[in-house]
Amino acid sequence: MNMLKNEMRRFVKSKAFVVFLLLFTAISALNLYSNYNHAVNDYDCYKHDYESYLSEGMTEEEIKAEIERGYTILLQDKSFFKSDLFLENPLPYYIEATQKDVNVFAPVNLLSLVIEPVISIAVIFVTFLASICVTDDIKNKTIRNHVLRYGKTKYILSKIVSTIMKNLLVVFITLILAYIAGHVIYSKLSTDITGIDLTVTDLNKSNYAVQILVLIAAVIFYSVIGVFLGIVFRKSYFCLIIVLIKSFLPFNFKYDISNVINHFMAKIYIFEGAFVHLQQTEEMSDMMHLIPVGATALMIAFMLIFFKKRSAY
């Protein structure tokens, strides 16, 4: 317990805490800004088209009839760098798009919106921070004192628990800040957008408790991976390189752990905002979601055996 308290006390005063909190916050802010900007742009397009209809001499009744007639997508070309969209009767399209953009900020959907970028980048940032927590002991030569004082098994287990707690602290501070900002943005959009019915629709695929528990499980899993890589390679940048290579591989096997996690995330979170869930996967049995649980247990067992046989100094 003393080791955990000391670890957390040092962590909140460290540069790593500040840096990773800023990284997570920056990603969350970018996600919120992208969604806000999308809503504002779609609303601006709606206002422009509405004013164009009025300037052409159309009456309010005629514009209403055009809206009810609906729209037709003539051409939609999406690429990584640009998106071209050609519409027949675009006004109802931009009404629908604005409603959808604002709806993801609605309090009922906001939790998923702020979790999505965090859980998606956790594979890189959480794993890297976890590896740093381990390799710093090796780098600063404090591991010997910890092992002599607590023993190898207790040191490893305490290091895993403290690393999970550090990552959870960073993640939940980020979520709280993003959640507050999301409410402010929703209030502003609801006030600024007029002429469009902003009816709220619940888009959630699961309840809030499940969404939070899955996030915690992901943080635990990636933290264990980071500790595992840190113990094996003893250099945090090796761990980062491995995770980056794995994350950006152009392919995954069907029952690859990344595929299983992506499949599970797509079932739990909405992913209707600007932060798109990129890796869609084939259908698989729900039992496959136990693969990360088994992998976590195996990594912990391996670390306990490996560290006992390997010199800690």
Side-chain angles (χ1 to χ4, degrees):
M1 187 60 95
N2 287 335
M3 181 179 172
L4 289 177
K5 288 181 180 178
N6 293 334
E7 288 264 336
M8 295 304 296
R9 192 180 297 114
R10 285 197 299 270
F11 177 66
V12 295
K13 297 177 181 179
S14 68
K15 290 181 180 178
F17 172 68
V18 176
V19 169
F20 279 89
L21 183 59
L22 287 175
L23 285 171
F24 272 103
T25 304
I27 296 295
S28 293
L30 180 62
N31 175 54
L32 293 174
Y33 174 76
S34 298
N35 282 284
Y36 171 76
N37 193 51
H38 209 273
V40 169
N41 287 340
D42 283 334
Y43 181 57
D44 286 343
C45 289
Y46 158 78
K47 289 193 298 182
H48 176 270
D49 289 339
Y50 194 92
E51 289 166 3
S52 295
Y53 283 14
L54 289 174
S55 66
E56 291 171 4
M58 294 180 68
T59 64
E60 296 284 348
E61 290 74 16
E62 289 173 329
I63 295 175
K64 186 178 179 181
E66 285 296 299
I67 293 172
E68 292 174 352
R69 185 167 65 87
Y71 61 89
T72 302
I73 298 176
L74 302 175
L75 177 64
Q76 188 171 19
D77 181 20
K78 288 186 177 181
S79 66
F80 186 80
F81 296 103
K82 65 176 183 176
S83 177
D84 293 323
L85 182 66
F86 297 95
L87 300 163
E88 179 185 332
N89 193 28
L91 191 61
Y93 172 84
Y94 287 116
I95 291 174
E96 183 181 302
T98 304
Q99 290 171 330
K100 181 180 176 182
D101 296 337
V102 177
N103 193 48
V104 297
F105 279 106
V108 70
N109 300 316
L110 185 57
L111 182 62
S112 180
L113 180 68
V114 298
I115 287 178
E116 288 159 12
V118 173
I119 197 169
S120 297
I121 63 172
V123 62
I124 297 174
F125 290 162
V126 169
T127 306
F128 187 39
L129 176 55
S131 68
I132 289 174
C133 292
V134 175
T135 56
D136 272 0
D137 281 352
I138 299 170
K139 179 182 174 183
N140 297 329
K141 302 186 184 302
T142 55
I143 190 171
R144 182 175 185 275
N145 294 333
H146 290 318
V147 169
L148 289 175
R149 184 173 182 181
Y150 302 108
K152 288 186 175 183
T153 299
K154 190 173 181 180
Y155 168 76
I156 287 292
L157 293 176
S158 297
K159 180 58 69 174
I160 292 170
V161 173
S162 67
T163 301
I164 291 169
M165 290 171 62
K166 291 172 187 177
N167 273 312
L168 286 174
L169 178 65
V170 172
V171 164
F172 276 98
I173 290 175
T174 303
L175 288 183
I176 291 168
L177 294 175
Y179 196 78
I180 294 170
H183 272 285
V184 174
I185 292 171
Y186 179 69
S187 178
K188 178 172 173 54
L189 288 173
S190 299
T191 302
D192 293 348
I193 294 175
T194 57
I196 296 178
D197 179 23
L198 298 177
T199 302
V200 173
T201 305
D202 187 349
L203 302 173
N204 288 289
K205 302 173 185 177
S206 58
N207 63 51
Y208 301 145
V210 171
Q211 294 180 30
I212 293 172
L213 286 173
V214 169
L215 174 64
I216 292 172
V219 170
I220 292 172
F221 177 64
Y222 294 131
S223 296
V224 171
I225 289 178
V227 174
F228 173 79
L229 293 175
I231 286 174
V232 172
F233 295 103
R234 302 171 76 91
K235 300 287 183 182
S236 58
Y237 61 84
F238 280 167
C239 307
L240 178 61
I241 291 169
I242 291 169
V243 171
L244 287 174
I245 291 172
K246 180 65 183 74
S247 299
F248 293 102
L249 279 177
F251 63 88
N252 277 320
F253 300 107
K254 181 174 180 179
Y255 296 117
D256 185 288
I257 290 180
S258 299
N259 239 8
V260 173
I261 292 173
N262 286 329
H263 182 270
F264 193 49
M265 284 166 53
K267 280 190 164 188
I268 300 298
Y269 301 106
I270 299 171
F271 289 107
E272 290 284 345
F275 205 96
V276 181
H277 190 59
L278 296 178
Q279 293 180 310
Q280 298 299 326
T281 58
E282 304 174 47
E283 285 299 315
M284 60 179 66
S285 167
D286 288 341
M287 290 298 293
M288 293 299 103
H289 298 150
L290 295 176
I291 291 177
V293 178
T296 301
L298 286 173
M299 282 188 289
I300 292 174
F302 178 85
M303 283 187 280
L304 292 172
I305 296 169
F306 181 82
F307 197 66
K308 277 186 177 181
K309 294 186 176 181
R310 184 175 187 173
S311 171
Y313 317 130

